[in-house]
């Protein structure tokens, strides 16, 4: 995706229109698919030599003929559900690497059919799909990296068919034949859909750049997964296996090429534990890399072959294959800068040696080597350029850690534990105020969330009061906005156990009386007291003085209007006071300063921005996700904390500065393109999921 400019709002609108258009055509697409399948597949069935398979296909076709109308009518809803799942960043958990041990045989069978059908359908519509995707990329609508490929890809259509089949009262054998044979019957209509969608984008002025000659496939393209012979059965066995004894390794065999360093292994670990002392070590490393620019790949290949000679079980050989494919997927991830990709490749020998002795690396997310690899790759996403501030220091520490891990040549977890601890210390030292700033921000946001949740309950109680039914909207906006915050703060700060600490609750009745013609007489002698109490209450939450004055002026105007109305006279208001903005979530100025809070729009503006039925679900961000702000030069932020009730998010920049927002604000920015997801899930998870995707396609399962 291009960096540096936000997606134009009209493109967001046309993108929503494209998805609505695709869903609207879902019924016709499924009707045409079924017509074609019912016309062409019986002949294919007769050509099948396996009598059982032939009869099962004919049975599936008979059921499809009976349910043809129902299936066509239900398909658009199934498609919309899968589109929503794709937009929200669902990793298709049933296909993820870590989910494999949890899958029963019937789930494996179904998913094999889904993956293989999606691959076949994509190949059948590749030309039309490529043209559509080029336009999505030109309009900066294609999602960045990760598992979030665009939500109209062929896999989503196949998953919609799978959802539809699962919801239908049919036998598993029928469901699997539908998945095996119907997707290709969908190809002509899906190709036409992509052509129509491309025309919609072009009609809005989107122009795709000319295709680059011999462009390499994207690392997130499912067709670009590394070639491998792995199967799902093998991966399930690997993840269920027990670690072999460390003694199977011969430490004198199959070592990687010796480094150009003379210090001993203990000395290497000492260097690793103090990553600030990098000058001589890194100078030698860079000199060696410059002198042998093409030797690394050959050395790694030699090392892999030598390690294969040490394997004692099929699981060990399988582990080596998984590590190699995982590393290649990581090293080709376009989100990682080239020096980080090189460091990941350099780390492969250490990971191979570890996998040979300890396959827990694959199944245990808490494994030190897994955590090191995850944290290094995740942290590297903070930078979009090798010249960005802080990247050189990050890379120096990473290169030294990799070099020492290679030199240590140890098969256990201890070297990775030391490396990870040293890197964390170096990162913390590079951001001396970062941790303290985040802790201060978290405290402020926790306090704000607690007060806002209580204020919302208080606001609901105020709206439900009988004397609030006839109150003007301006008075209710004040009472359910700033004044509810005042009452909530008083209750949270009070240890006395009083029902109305500070007496702020009693003012609600007085204010409601003062702004209603039928009740204003009851508050006739309390106006001065009312003004003073409002002033004191708003000061207790450090409400901005300018906003306080605006509210006082508005409420004074409402009292005057009520008095005129009670006397039956015409009001003489020369200039109405505008209603101050009322954010849905309010933070006090010190809380905003401590957390770098980005205010959300006022209530009226927010309601005007609320999308209608064409709105798209946005990714549900979780701590660890990286986002990019195109309008701010492509700055990247990592979601490092979300409040217990999900009301507030805290983001951190590479230099340690914090920025916080409400969940609603984040969702709005994602919807209008001013925030874009770079990585929703751990980079290593994506690389392992790619291993699983390749294995799914290599798998052949009956049923």
């Amino acid at each position: 995706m291009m960096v540096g400019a936000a997606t134009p709002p009209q493109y967001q609108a046309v993108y929503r229109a494209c998805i609505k258009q695709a869903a609207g055509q879902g019924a016709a697409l499924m009707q045409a698919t079924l017509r074609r399948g019912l016309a062409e597949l019986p002949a294919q069935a007769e050509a099948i030599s396996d009598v059982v398979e032939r009869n099962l296909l004919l049975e599936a076709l008979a059921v499809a003929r009976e349910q043809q109308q129902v299936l066509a009518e239900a398909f658009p809803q199934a498609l919309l559900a899968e589109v929503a799942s794709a937009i929200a960043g669902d990793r298709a958990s049933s296909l993820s690497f870590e989910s494999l041990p949890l899958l029963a045989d019937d789930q494996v069978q179904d998913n094999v059919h889904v993956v293989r059908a999606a691959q076949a359908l994509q190949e059948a519509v590749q030309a039309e799909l490529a043209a559509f995707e080029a336009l999505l990329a030109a309009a900066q609508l294609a999602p960045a990296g990760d598992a979030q490929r665009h939500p109209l890809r062929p896999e989503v259509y196949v998953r919609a068919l799978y959802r539809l089949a699962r919801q239908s009262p049919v036998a598993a054998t029928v469901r699997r034949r539908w998945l095996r044979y119907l997707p290709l019957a969908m190809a002509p209509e899906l190709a036409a859909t992509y052509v129509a969608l491309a025309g919609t984008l072009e009609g809005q002025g989107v122009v795709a750049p000319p295709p680059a000659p011999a462009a390499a496939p994207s690392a997130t393209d499912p067709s670009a997964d590394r070639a491998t012979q792995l199967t799902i059965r093998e991966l399930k066995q690997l993840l269920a296996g027990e670690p072999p004894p460390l003694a199977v390794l011969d430490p004198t065999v199959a070592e990687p090429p010796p480094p150009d360093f003379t210090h001993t292994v203990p000395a290497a670990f000492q260097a690793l534990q103090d990553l600030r002392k990098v000058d001589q070590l890194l100078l030698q490393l860079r000199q060696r890399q410059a002198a042998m620019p093409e030797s690394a790949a050959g050395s790694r290949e030699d090392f892999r072959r030598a390690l294969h000679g040490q394997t004692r079980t099929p699981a060990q050989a399988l582990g080596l294959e998984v590590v190699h494919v995982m590393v290649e997927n990581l090293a080709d991830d376009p989100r990682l800068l080239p020096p980080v990709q090189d460091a990941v490749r350099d780390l492969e020998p250490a990971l191979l040696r570890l996998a040979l002795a300890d396959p827990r690396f694959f199944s245990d997310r808490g494994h030190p080597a897994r955590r090191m690899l995850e944290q290094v790759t995740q942290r590297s996403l903070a930078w979009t350029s090798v010249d960005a501030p802080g990247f050189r220091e990050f890379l120096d520490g990473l290169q030294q850690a990799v070099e020492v891990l290679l030199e240590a040549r140890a098969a256990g977890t201890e070297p990775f534990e030391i490396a990870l601890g040293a890197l964390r210390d170096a990162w913390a030292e590079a951001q001396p105020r970062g941790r303290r700033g985040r802790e201060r921000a978290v405290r402020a946001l926790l306090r704000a969330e607690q007060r806002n949740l209580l204020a919302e309950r208080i606001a609901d109680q105020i709206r439900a009061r009988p004397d609030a039914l006839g109150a003007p909207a301006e008075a209710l906006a004040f009472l359910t906005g700033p004044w509810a915050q005042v009452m909530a703060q008083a209750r949270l700060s009070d240890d006395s156990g009083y029902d109305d600490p500070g007496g702020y609750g009693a003012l609600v009745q007085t204010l409601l009386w003062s702004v209603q013609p039928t009740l204003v007489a009851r508050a006739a002698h309390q106006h001065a007291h009312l003004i003073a109490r409002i002033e004191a209450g708003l000061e207790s939450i450090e409400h901005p003085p300018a906003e306080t004055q605006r509210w006082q002026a508005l409420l004074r105007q409402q009292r005057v209007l009520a008095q005129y109305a009670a006397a039956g006279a015409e009001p003489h208001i020369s200039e109405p006071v505008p209603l101050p903005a009322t954010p849905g979530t309010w933070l006090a100025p010190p809380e905003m300063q401590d957390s770098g809070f980005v205010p959300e729009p006022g209530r009226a503006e927010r309601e005007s921005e609320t999308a209608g039925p064409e709105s798209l679900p946005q990714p549900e961000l979780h701590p660890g996700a990286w986002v990019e702000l195109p309008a701010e030069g492509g700055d990247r932020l990592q979601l490092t904390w979300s409040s217990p009730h999900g009301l507030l998010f805290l983001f951190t920049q590479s230099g340690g500065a914090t920025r916080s927002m409400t969940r609603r604000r984040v969702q709005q920015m994602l919807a209008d393109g001013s925030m874009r997801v770079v990585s929703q899930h751990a980079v290593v998870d994506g690389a392992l999921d790619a291993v699983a995707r390749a294995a799914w396609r290599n798998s052949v399962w009956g049923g």
Side-chain angles (χ1 to χ4, degrees):
M1 287 228 233
M2 293 182 287
V3 173
T7 303
Q10 70 269 24
Y11 290 167
Q12 288 290 332
V14 75
Y15 189 40
R16 290 193 290 269
C18 281
I19 292 179
K20 184 179 180 182
Q21 176 182 344
Q25 296 171 350
L29 181 144
M30 180 51 62
Q31 285 175 341
T33 297
L34 290 171
R35 280 198 303 269
R36 182 173 291 105
L38 293 172
E40 298 177 357
L41 289 176
Q44 291 187 33
E46 294 302 327
I48 296 175
S49 58
D50 186 328
V51 176
V52 174
E53 178 63 24
R54 181 196 312 150
N55 290 336
L56 287 173
L57 175 54
L58 291 172
E59 178 191 358
L61 292 174
V63 176
R65 184 172 288 105
E66 292 173 1
Q67 300 189 16
Q68 188 170 357
Q69 188 62 33
V70 173
L71 293 173
E73 292 174 354
F75 185 73
Q77 194 60 40
L79 180 59
L80 275 177
E82 289 298 330
V83 166
S85 179
I87 292 173
D90 191 342
R91 287 173 63 199
S93 58
S94 60
L95 300 182
S96 68
F97 186 86
E98 65 186 19
S99 71
L100 296 182
L102 307 177
L103 296 181
D105 278 355
D106 61 331
Q107 293 173 297
V108 172
Q109 292 180 49
D110 284 352
N111 280 298
V112 165
H113 291 307
V114 167
V115 172
R116 294 174 74 85
Q119 181 183 19
L121 181 58
Q122 175 156 329
E123 291 172 355
V125 300
Q126 187 57 49
E128 296 82 3
L129 174 64
F132 174 56
E133 289 177 338
L135 289 165
L136 287 180
Q140 300 187 54
L141 292 168
D146 202 285
Q148 296 183 78
R149 297 177 296 279
H150 71 86
L152 293 176
R153 61 189 184 272
E155 178 190 344
V156 173
Y157 279 82
V158 174
R159 290 202 162 275
L161 177 60
Y162 177 42
R163 177 185 289 265
L164 186 63
R166 273 202 337 265
Q167 294 171 349
S168 302
V170 299
T173 54
V174 170
R175 181 175 69 239
R176 289 173 193 143
R177 267 71 201 172
W178 287 358
L179 286 173
R180 185 178 299 178
Y181 294 101
L182 285 180
L184 277 181
M186 186 187 292
E189 275 65 42
L190 185 56
T193 295
Y194 289 139
V195 170
L197 294 176
T200 299
L201 290 174
E202 289 172 336
Q204 294 295 318
V206 182
V207 178
S218 165
T220 58
D221 183 343
S223 66
D225 294 331
R226 291 284 156 186
T228 178
Q229 300 303 311
L230 296 171
T231 67
I232 290 301
R233 277 196 178 97
E234 292 172 331
L235 287 186
K236 283 172 64 69
Q237 291 167 359
L238 175 67
L239 291 172
E242 294 295 327
L246 294 179
V248 301
L249 291 177
D250 180 352
T252 67
V253 177
E255 297 297 347
D260 295 340
F261 306 113
T262 58
H263 48 278
T264 64
V265 170
F269 281 119
Q270 183 62 42
L272 182 59
Q273 290 172 324
D274 190 355
L275 290 177
R276 291 168 295 179
K277 300 175 181 178
V278 299
D279 296 342
Q280 187 62 32
L281 190 63
L282 288 173
L283 176 62
Q284 295 177 4
L285 171 61
R286 290 168 186 159
Q287 288 174 342
R288 186 179 70 180
Q289 290 173 335
M292 298 184 296
E294 298 181 1
S295 64
S299 298
R300 286 193 296 271
E301 180 61 33
D302 292 341
F303 184 59
R304 282 195 298 274
R305 282 197 297 265
L307 273 189
H308 270 288
Q310 291 194 53
T311 60
R312 299 292 183 269
T313 67
Q316 288 181 317
L318 181 61
L320 296 181
E321 175 72 1
V322 171
V323 165
H324 174 58
V325 178
M326 176 198 71
V327 167
E328 289 300 301
N329 278 299
L330 275 176
D332 278 354
D333 192 316
R335 294 168 298 174
L336 304 184
L337 292 172
V340 178
Q341 294 175 331
D342 292 340
V344 170
R345 287 191 179 96
D346 290 340
L347 192 58
E348 182 180 358
L351 294 172
L352 287 169
R353 176 166 289 281
L354 175 73
L356 197 62
D358 186 5
R360 289 183 302 111
F361 171 80
F362 304 110
S363 58
D364 181 6
R365 295 184 65 90
H367 193 286
R370 178 84 168 263
R371 285 189 289 120
M372 177 191 166
L373 195 58
E374 285 181 347
Q375 293 187 29
V376 162
T377 52
Q378 284 296 100
R379 188 174 182 85
S380 77
L381 296 179
W383 296 279
T384 58
S385 166
V386 296
D387 299 320
F391 179 74
R392 173 48 60 184
E393 292 77 9
F394 164 79
L395 183 63
D396 285 349
L398 172 58
Q399 288 178 326
Q400 187 182 8
V402 170
E403 193 65 27
V404 175
L405 282 169
L406 294 178
E407 185 174 355
R409 303 175 188 174
T413 62
E414 184 179 5
F416 292 94
E417 290 176 341
I418 295 174
L420 179 57
L423 286 170
R424 283 174 169 170
D425 290 344
W427 296 338
E429 186 173 331
Q431 298 178 2
R433 294 185 297 273
R435 181 174 179 179
R436 292 193 298 273
R438 283 193 297 275
E439 291 173 349
R440 186 167 58 249
V442 167
R443 287 195 298 270
L445 295 175
L446 281 171
R447 183 170 60 246
E449 181 181 64
Q450 189 178 15
R451 187 186 61 252
N452 274 274
L453 290 172
L454 179 55
E456 189 58 42
R457 291 199 295 271
I458 292 172
D460 289 340
Q461 294 168 359
I462 292 174
R463 295 186 191 98
R465 291 173 61 108
D467 53 0
L469 297 179
E474 293 83 352
L476 284 177
F478 173 75
L479 289 174
T480 60
W483 201 249
Q485 296 280 342
V486 170
M487 294 174 63
Q489 180 65 33
R491 293 184 189 181
L492 293 173
S493 304
D494 180 68
D495 295 326
S496 66
Y498 292 155
D499 291 337
D500 184 19
Y504 298 124
L507 180 137
V508 174
Q509 182 184 71
T510 303
L511 180 58
L512 288 172
W513 288 357
S514 73
V515 295
Q516 297 185 66
T518 58
L519 301 172
V520 67
R522 302 183 187 182
H525 303 293
Q526 301 187 46
H527 294 333
H529 173 72
L530 193 63
I531 294 171
R533 291 299 293 154
I534 289 176
E535 193 85 24
L538 293 178
E539 282 182 1
S540 73
I541 60 170
E542 301 186 67
H543 199 263
E547 288 296 301
T548 296
Q549 292 173 11
R550 291 179 64 190
W551 279 114
Q552 290 278 34
L554 179 66
L555 295 174
R556 187 182 305 114
Q557 184 181 84
Q558 294 301 311
R559 290 194 295 272
V560 170
L561 290 172
Q563 291 167 353
Y564 272 108
E570 287 293 327
H572 300 287
I573 302 295
S574 58
E575 185 175 344
V577 178
L579 180 69
T582 53
T585 301
W586 183 83
L587 270 68
E591 294 167 342
M592 297 177 70
Q593 181 176 355
D594 286 346
S595 64
F597 186 67
V598 179
E600 61 180 314
R603 192 180 304 274
E605 181 184 358
R606 188 173 65 251
E607 289 173 354
S608 70
E609 291 178 349
T610 300
E614 291 184 357
S615 64
L616 303 179
Q618 299 303 326
E620 191 64 39
L621 298 182
H622 301 285
W626 281 94
V627 298
E628 191 172 83
L629 306 178
E632 299 184 26
D635 282 354
R636 285 187 176 177
L637 309 172
Q638 186 177 33
L639 178 58
T640 50
W641 179 85
S642 61
S643 60
H645 293 273
L647 189 65
L648 295 163
F649 285 173
L650 180 67
F651 295 89
T652 305
Q653 295 175 303
S654 61
T658 59
R659 190 180 304 193
S660 65
M661 308 177 199
T662 64
R663 179 180 181 277
R664 184 165 41 221
R665 178 67 169 167
V666 169
Q667 293 291 307
Q668 182 61 44
M669 293 179 70
L670 289 169
D672 65 23
S674 57
M675 175 183 288
R676 307 175 73 176
V677 176
V678 175
S679 175
Q680 172 73 310
H681 310 287
V683 177
V684 174
D685 285 347
L688 287 171
D689 288 351
V691 175
R693 285 198 301 271
W696 280 111
R697 286 196 298 276
N698 290 335
S699 301
V700 178
W701 215 285

